mmCIF file of all heavy atoms in Angstrom:
data_model
loop_
_atom_site.group_PDB
_atom_site.id
_atom_site.type_symbol
_atom_site.label_atom_id
_atom_site.label_comp_id
_atom_site.label_asym_id
_atom_site.label_seq_id
_atom_site.Cartn_x
_atom_site.Cartn_y
_atom_site.Cartn_z
ATOM 1 N N SER A 27 50.073 104.677 163.680
ATOM 2 C CA SER A 27 50.240 105.755 162.685
ATOM 3 C C SER A 27 51.542 105.626 161.895
ATOM 4 O O SER A 27 51.628 106.163 160.801
ATOM 5 C CB SER A 27 50.168 107.113 163.349
ATOM 6 O OG SER A 27 51.276 107.361 164.170
ATOM 7 N N THR A 28 52.525 104.904 162.426
ATOM 8 C CA THR A 28 53.766 104.716 161.670
ATOM 9 C C THR A 28 53.741 103.476 160.800
ATOM 10 O O THR A 28 54.660 103.248 160.034
ATOM 11 C CB THR A 28 54.962 104.642 162.645
ATOM 12 O OG1 THR A 28 54.796 103.541 163.527
ATOM 13 C CG2 THR A 28 55.122 105.906 163.423
ATOM 14 N N ASN A 29 52.684 102.693 160.922
ATOM 15 C CA ASN A 29 52.556 101.439 160.159
ATOM 16 C C ASN A 29 51.747 101.738 158.842
ATOM 17 O O ASN A 29 50.521 101.740 158.905
ATOM 18 C CB ASN A 29 51.881 100.358 160.970
ATOM 19 C CG ASN A 29 51.754 99.043 160.241
ATOM 20 O OD1 ASN A 29 52.093 98.948 159.049
ATOM 21 N ND2 ASN A 29 51.253 98.066 160.921
ATOM 22 N N LYS A 30 52.441 101.961 157.778
ATOM 23 C CA LYS A 30 51.762 102.300 156.499
ATOM 24 C C LYS A 30 50.914 101.147 155.973
ATOM 25 O O LYS A 30 50.028 101.386 155.129
ATOM 26 C CB LYS A 30 52.796 102.709 155.465
ATOM 27 C CG LYS A 30 53.664 103.867 155.861
ATOM 28 C CD LYS A 30 52.882 105.131 155.998
ATOM 29 C CE LYS A 30 53.803 106.283 156.336
ATOM 30 N NZ LYS A 30 53.108 107.500 156.700
ATOM 31 N N GLN A 31 51.105 99.942 156.478
ATOM 32 C CA GLN A 31 50.327 98.781 156.038
ATOM 33 C C GLN A 31 48.975 98.680 156.754
ATOM 34 O O GLN A 31 48.105 97.943 156.300
ATOM 35 C CB GLN A 31 51.122 97.501 156.289
ATOM 36 C CG GLN A 31 52.489 97.461 155.616
ATOM 37 C CD GLN A 31 52.406 97.540 154.093
ATOM 38 O OE1 GLN A 31 51.517 96.974 153.496
ATOM 39 N NE2 GLN A 31 53.349 98.255 153.496
ATOM 40 N N SER A 32 48.805 99.375 157.836
ATOM 41 C CA SER A 32 47.588 99.287 158.625
ATOM 42 C C SER A 32 46.447 100.049 157.974
ATOM 43 O O SER A 32 46.599 101.184 157.533
ATOM 44 C CB SER A 32 47.801 99.860 160.047
ATOM 45 O OG SER A 32 46.589 99.884 160.771
ATOM 46 N N ILE A 33 45.273 99.406 157.957
ATOM 47 C CA ILE A 33 44.095 100.099 157.430
ATOM 48 C C ILE A 33 43.633 101.200 158.377
ATOM 49 O O ILE A 33 42.832 102.039 158.023
ATOM 50 C CB ILE A 33 42.928 99.109 157.165
ATOM 51 C CG1 ILE A 33 42.510 98.402 158.436
ATOM 52 C CG2 ILE A 33 43.306 98.122 156.076
ATOM 53 C CD1 ILE A 33 41.221 97.606 158.300
ATOM 54 N N PHE A 34 44.169 101.212 159.592
ATOM 55 C CA PHE A 34 43.793 102.205 160.590
ATOM 56 C C PHE A 34 44.830 103.326 160.680
ATOM 57 O O PHE A 34 44.693 104.211 161.525
ATOM 58 C CB PHE A 34 43.644 101.552 161.963
ATOM 59 C CG PHE A 34 42.541 100.541 162.025
ATOM 60 C CD1 PHE A 34 42.849 99.188 162.074
ATOM 61 C CD2 PHE A 34 41.216 100.890 161.984
ATOM 62 C CE1 PHE A 34 41.832 98.235 162.154
ATOM 63 C CE2 PHE A 34 40.200 99.978 162.053
ATOM 64 C CZ PHE A 34 40.500 98.632 162.127
ATOM 65 N N GLN A 35 45.830 103.329 159.848
ATOM 66 C CA GLN A 35 46.943 104.276 159.921
ATOM 67 C C GLN A 35 46.445 105.738 159.885
ATOM 68 O O GLN A 35 46.797 106.519 160.756
ATOM 69 C CB GLN A 35 47.947 104.012 158.826
ATOM 70 C CG GLN A 35 49.225 104.775 158.925
ATOM 71 C CD GLN A 35 49.282 106.004 158.068
ATOM 72 O OE1 GLN A 35 48.531 106.126 157.091
ATOM 73 N NE2 GLN A 35 50.110 106.905 158.406
ATOM 74 N N ALA A 36 45.664 106.088 158.925
ATOM 75 C CA ALA A 36 45.188 107.485 158.810
ATOM 76 C C ALA A 36 44.319 107.900 159.987
ATOM 77 O O ALA A 36 44.448 108.994 160.523
ATOM 78 C CB ALA A 36 44.437 107.675 157.494
ATOM 79 N N ASP A 37 43.430 107.023 160.402
ATOM 80 C CA ASP A 37 42.566 107.310 161.542
ATOM 81 C C ASP A 37 43.380 107.456 162.820
ATOM 82 O O ASP A 37 43.104 108.344 163.632
ATOM 83 C CB ASP A 37 41.488 106.228 161.681
ATOM 84 C CG ASP A 37 40.391 106.650 162.643
ATOM 85 O OD1 ASP A 37 39.800 107.718 162.464
ATOM 86 O OD2 ASP A 37 40.143 105.889 163.618
ATOM 87 N N ALA A 38 44.363 106.611 162.984
ATOM 88 C CA ALA A 38 45.230 106.674 164.166
ATOM 89 C C ALA A 38 46.020 107.984 164.197
ATOM 90 O O ALA A 38 46.154 108.593 165.280
ATOM 91 C CB ALA A 38 46.195 105.493 164.204
ATOM 92 N N GLU A 39 46.470 108.465 163.053
ATOM 93 C CA GLU A 39 47.176 109.734 163.022
ATOM 94 C C GLU A 39 46.269 110.864 163.501
ATOM 95 O O GLU A 39 46.695 111.748 164.239
ATOM 96 C CB GLU A 39 47.633 110.063 161.579
ATOM 97 C CG GLU A 39 48.862 109.336 161.157
ATOM 98 C CD GLU A 39 49.396 109.851 159.808
ATOM 99 O OE1 GLU A 39 48.628 110.408 159.002
ATOM 100 O OE2 GLU A 39 50.600 109.677 159.606
ATOM 101 N N PHE A 40 45.025 110.853 163.062
ATOM 102 C CA PHE A 40 44.058 111.886 163.448
ATOM 103 C C PHE A 40 43.699 111.770 164.929
ATOM 104 O O PHE A 40 43.760 112.754 165.655
ATOM 105 C CB PHE A 40 42.817 111.754 162.557
ATOM 106 C CG PHE A 40 41.814 112.834 162.799
ATOM 107 C CD1 PHE A 40 42.101 114.160 162.555
ATOM 108 C CD2 PHE A 40 40.509 112.512 163.205
ATOM 109 C CE1 PHE A 40 41.127 115.142 162.738
ATOM 110 C CE2 PHE A 40 39.548 113.495 163.383
ATOM 111 C CZ PHE A 40 39.874 114.810 163.156
ATOM 112 N N ARG A 41 43.400 110.571 165.375
ATOM 113 C CA ARG A 41 43.019 110.374 166.782
ATOM 114 C C ARG A 41 44.179 110.658 167.734
ATOM 115 O O ARG A 41 43.959 111.077 168.869
ATOM 116 C CB ARG A 41 42.517 108.969 166.998
ATOM 117 C CG ARG A 41 41.124 108.729 166.400
ATOM 118 C CD ARG A 41 40.717 107.283 166.623
ATOM 119 N NE ARG A 41 39.407 106.987 166.071
ATOM 120 C CZ ARG A 41 38.329 106.767 166.822
ATOM 121 N NH1 ARG A 41 38.388 106.836 168.138
ATOM 122 N NH2 ARG A 41 37.178 106.505 166.261
ATOM 123 N N LEU A 42 45.391 110.455 167.288
ATOM 124 C CA LEU A 42 46.540 110.758 168.090
ATOM 125 C C LEU A 42 46.560 112.243 168.479
ATOM 126 O O LEU A 42 46.889 112.588 169.618
ATOM 127 C CB LEU A 42 47.846 110.389 167.356
ATOM 128 C CG LEU A 42 49.141 110.741 168.072
ATOM 129 C CD1 LEU A 42 49.246 110.088 169.440
ATOM 130 C CD2 LEU A 42 50.333 110.319 167.192
#
Side-chain angles (χ1 to χ4, degrees):
S27 69
T28 59
N29 181 356
K30 302 294 183 190
Q31 303 298 322
S32 174
I33 61 170
F34 298 107
Q35 189 261 340
D37 192 54
E39 281 189 336
F40 185 61
R41 288 178 180 251
L42 176 57

